[in-house]
């Protein structure tokens, strides 16, 4: 496959940045998108051009590092995949592919296609945990029976890999899907009930402070989420938040 | 919780004010629809609504507050949401993952707001003038006549029709969406959604029918 790539280049967080065009030839349809980027970078290094910085780690869809906004969609045109799982066969020979960093006020660009997603870490630190006494007489989690239905829902929510595709896709750059997955994962389990009130209040407060937008229920996040996190979680978070605020 | 400062609080406030407007719309539609069948009943109800102190001095201010709150909050959220993405994408394929109506609530809302301006100019201001400024004598039979008179002008009827189409678009997303906003997403949600979508079509089409009915009758 021969392709034209339009890539966002930005030297550092302060630099202005612009789109650059690159041509690339002989790409195998079986390559992953990141492998294609590797080939491009080899080519750029050979030409004495600074290679394109992009995030990646596991390259098997579990770490959430690979980002990229490809042809107007987070992680590209395929569904339920991350960029590392996106294959070049989803594109056609001769295509022009636009590649941009995830864009949100709360995700500033570090360089080229890499963005700083530590806002998610801070939201998580604000309440995405359960406090357990580890002094030696910790109760075995399996000793507490949990209804299959609840366990499944909690597990579905826990599948969120914190990639930020939801924020990147949302026209409002809202982080509600991510935060609601993290809230739900605990809200559904007895272990999470103890701190439920503080958790949702603190996580939402942190989310707001980071400058994420407001949810208008367009549903873009759910469609683009590589892990299929459901909008149901946002409704659950809203309920948790309402009840928590009524409790004061 | 603060209904006006946190993101979720604002979302809930938006939904509650929207639902309130939906209830009002249903009531308004019912009264208008009666005008198709009976001028007499329409006059009676209009006279009651226009002169009952509870409606005039309690419900009407609540309604006005609801409308103003809803669109003000709509604009506030829109500005906040735009700020949340300071640098825009070069290529953003919004249609790939979300419906047009859901992405353009501010525009459908803005059209409805301009319609409200026209509607107030047509009915509410003359009404306030009649009752409270010029304090003209009570005339329980004037309403039907005044209303049908307005629908003689086709330009006005045309503007009403366009506005109702945008109202339909607004409700097409908004009505069902407000349940999600207040945290209702369960086994009833698909039925709620069907109902909301039917409502978003039937009510505006009904209003269009009423406007056309009186226009054609006046020819
Ligand atoms: C009779 C008039 C109106 C009715 C019945 C109505 C109804 C609704 C409903 C039910 C919602 C959904 C709330 C949610 O998703 O949580 C909504 C949202 C919204 N409305 Fe209205 N509305 C009306 C007029 C207006 C006007 C005049 C504006 C002015 C700009 C406006 C702007 C908005 C905006 C920006 C949203 C937020 C979109 C979203 O959250 O998805 N609306 N409206
Ligand atoms: S909810 Fe989905 S899209 Fe959002 S961070 Fe989690 S895995 Fe990524
Ligand atoms: S590199 Fe880990 S999910 Fe893509």
């Amino acid at each position: 496959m021969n392709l034209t790539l339009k890539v966002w280049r930005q030297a550092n967080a302060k630099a202005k940045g612009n789109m650059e065009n690159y041509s690339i030839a002989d790409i195998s349809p079986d390559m992953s998108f990141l492998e294609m980027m590797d080939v491009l970078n080899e080519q750029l290094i050979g030409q004495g051009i600074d290679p394109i910085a992009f995030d990646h780690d596991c390259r098997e869809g579990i770490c959430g590092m690979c980002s990229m906004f490809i042809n107007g969609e987070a992680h590209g045109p395929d569904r339920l995949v991350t960029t590392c799982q996106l294959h070049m066969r989803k594109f056609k020979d001769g295509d022009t592919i636009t590649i941009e960093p995830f864009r949100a006020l709360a995700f500033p660009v570090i360089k080229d296609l890499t963005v700083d997603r530590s806002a998610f870490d801070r939201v998580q630190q604000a309440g995405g945990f359960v406090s357990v006494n580890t002094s030696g007489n910790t109760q075995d989690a399996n000793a507490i029976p949990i209804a299959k239905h609840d366990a499944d829902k909690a597990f579905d929510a826990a599948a969120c890999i914190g990639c930020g595709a939801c924020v990147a896709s949302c026209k409002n750059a809202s982080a509600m899907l991510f935060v609601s997955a993290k809230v739900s994962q605990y809200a559904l389990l007895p272990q999470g009930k103890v701190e439920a009130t503080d958790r949702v209040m603190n996580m939402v407060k942190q989310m707001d402070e980071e400058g994420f937008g407001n949810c208008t229920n367009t549903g873009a996040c759910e469609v683009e989420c590589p892990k299929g996190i459901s909008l149901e979680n946002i409704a659950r978070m809203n309920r948790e938040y309402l009840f928590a605020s009524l409790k004061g | 919780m603060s209904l006006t400062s946190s993101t979720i609080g604002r979302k809930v406030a938006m939904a509650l004010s929207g639902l309130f407007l939906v209830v009002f719309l249903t009531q308004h539609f019912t009264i208008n629809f009666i005008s198709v069948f009976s001028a007499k009943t329409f006059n009676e109800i209009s006279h009651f609504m226009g002169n009952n102190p509870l409606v005039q001095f309690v419900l009407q201010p609540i309604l006005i507050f609801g409308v103003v709150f809803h669109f003000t909050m709509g604009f506030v959220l829109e500005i906040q949401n735009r700020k949340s993405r300071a640098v825009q994408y070069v290529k953003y394929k919004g249609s790939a993952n979300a419906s047009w109506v859901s992405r353009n609530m501010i525009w459908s809302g803005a059209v409805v707001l301009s319609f409200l301006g026209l509607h107030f100019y047509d009915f509410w201001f003359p009404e306030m003038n009649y009752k409270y400024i010029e304090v003209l004598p009570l005339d329980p039979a004037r309403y039907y006549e005044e209303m049908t008179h307005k629908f003689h002008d086709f330009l006005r009827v045309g503007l009403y029709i366009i506005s109702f189409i945008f109202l339909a678009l607004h409700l097409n997303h908004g009505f069902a969406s407000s349940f999600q906003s207040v945290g209702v997403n369960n086994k009833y949600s698909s039925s709620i959604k069907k109902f909301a979508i039917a409502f978003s079509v039937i009510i505006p089409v009904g209003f269009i029918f009423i406007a056309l009915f009186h226009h054609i009758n006046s020819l």
Side-chain angles (χ1 to χ4, degrees), chain A residues 112-132:
Chain A
D112 298 333
L113 303 173
T114 55
V115 295
D116 181 356
R117 283 169 281 182
S118 50
F120 270 10
D121 300 340
R122 290 186 291 273
V123 172
Q124 186 76 343
Q125 282 155 10
F129 51 78
V130 284
S131 308
V132 180

Side-chain angles (χ1 to χ4, degrees), chain A residues 185-205:
Chain A
Q185 143 187 7
Y186 297 107
L188 286 155
L189 300 177
Q191 289 91 337
K193 295 269 194 280
V194 189
E195 290 152 304
T197 309
D198 289 345
R199 175 178 306 111
V200 69
M201 296 304 279
N202 292 338
M203 289 181 85
V204 170
K205 182 161 169 276

Side-chain angles (χ1 to χ4, degrees), chain A residues 64 74-75 82 102 107 120 157 159-169 174-182 221-222 224-230:
Chain A
H75 299 142
T82 50
F102 281 0
F107 288 169
F120 270 10
C160 165
I161 52 176
C163 64
C166 41
V167 174
S169 310
S174 166
M176 295 266 182
L177 195 64
F178 165 77
V179 181
S180 72
K182 299 302 170 196
C221 53
E222 185 185 52
E224 298 291 349
C225 170
K227 298 297 155 189
I229 302 295
S230 157

Side-chain angles (χ1 to χ4, degrees), chain A residues 171-172 216-219, chain B residues 14 74-75 78 81-82 92-95 98-113 165-174:
Chain A
K171 80 174 182 53
N172 312 320
T216 57
N217 302 326
T218 69
Chain B
M14 201 64 206
F75 287 125
E78 181 69 16
N81 291 343
R82 281 177 188 241
Y92 180 77
K93 214 165 145 191
S95 61
S99 66
W100 188 91
V101 278
S102 73
R103 287 178 286 124
N104 292 284
M105 289 295 276
I106 194 69
W107 299 115
S108 54
V111 174
V112 175
L113 182 61
I165 292 171
F166 278 87
L167 177 66
L169 297 175
H170 197 73
L171 291 176
N172 193 271
H173 173 69

